[in-house]
Amino acid sequence: MGEVKEKTKKAAVFCMQLALLTVLYEGSVLLVSYLHIPIPASVVGMLILFFLLSKGWLPVWMIESGAAFLNKHLAFFFIPIAAGLMTYGDVIQSNGAALIGVIAGSSVIGLMVTSGLSAALAIKSREKA
Amino acid sequence: MTALYIIVTVAVYGLSRRAALRFPSPFTTPVFTSTALIIGLLLVSDVSYEEYTPAKDIMTFLLGPATVALALPLYRNRSVLLERLFPAAVGLIAGTLSTIVSSVWLASAFGLSETIQAAAAVKAVTTPVAMEAAVIIGGDPALAAAFVITAGIFGAVFGPALLTAFRIKDPFSRGLGIGTVSHGIGTSQAALEGPVQGAVSSAAMGFASIVTSLVLPWLFPFL
């Protein structure tokens, strides 16, 4: 009996955490549309939650297991969206190779510049210290 | 039918996750294998994306809250982030500019139209920002979304292997690069590599979208 109760309690807490994260997100959607901020609502929500956690105004346990679950399965949410690529069949057929070339080339350049610079600067500052 | 589409999508995701654990390789990245499988299944069973859309809307309901939840790894790794704020900002801004400039130049070198060049310019940032930014510089938002998805999958599939090939081992710099060029889809993969990678990648994804939306309307006319 005790075990069942414990599990039910955990499930309830988990659902409350998902609900709380949803409220934070929907609040950010309203804030962004009201203030016309040129940043996506989800990023604004992330910054707000980070701020609340840093200030200690929202204790970590109130979102912990729900947030960890969503983080772990973040990739899932992109699958139905990515399947939308199937509607670009004609563009892909006519320009596919060039499009892949553009995306691959510029992604590799951006990746190397970002990570390379960050790693090089980190080594430099460590040498100074 | 919507319930069936959801069950199939969840099952495909579950299978591809297992396959990725069993056979770790860039080509078993779950976003890539699942998306390919779902598209294949929809095409074979003659289901259009419009028919699948109600199921998509239900399944992506938690995407916003899930992105908000990235604040948790960010918070847990805040000391590393603050300590390396300056090199991270330099890397992120230079990387964002170079990915924008190189995508437009490559697109024009391949003889692609100006509408496609504009869609390519925004490909590194998360879909809602990319679509808005594309409209501002004269691109097509739907095409921009297609570029964003492809760039995200490219970064998730090849990003970690490319970084290893270029001998970038530092988890902080790895997360920064992946988040900067391949937004949420790359971040979902970076988070699997480790908590620091996931945290830095999610922060980078946010800041890259801010830098892009501020810089692009000024930069694009000069390219």
Side-chain angles (χ1 to χ4, degrees), chain A residues 40 64 71 73 80 88 106 115 118, chain B residues 13 49 76 99 123 129 142 173:
Chain A
E64 199 167 26
N71 284 174
H73 296 292
Y88 292 94
S106 60
S115 299
S118 152
Chain B
Y13 170 69
Y49 192 64
R76 286 197 170 132
T99 199
K123 62 140 200 354
V129 185
S173 302

Side-chain angles (χ1 to χ4, degrees), chain B residues 189-201:
Chain B
Q189 185 63 22
L192 295 180
E193 199 179 278
V196 174
Q197 287 92 321
V200 180
S201 183

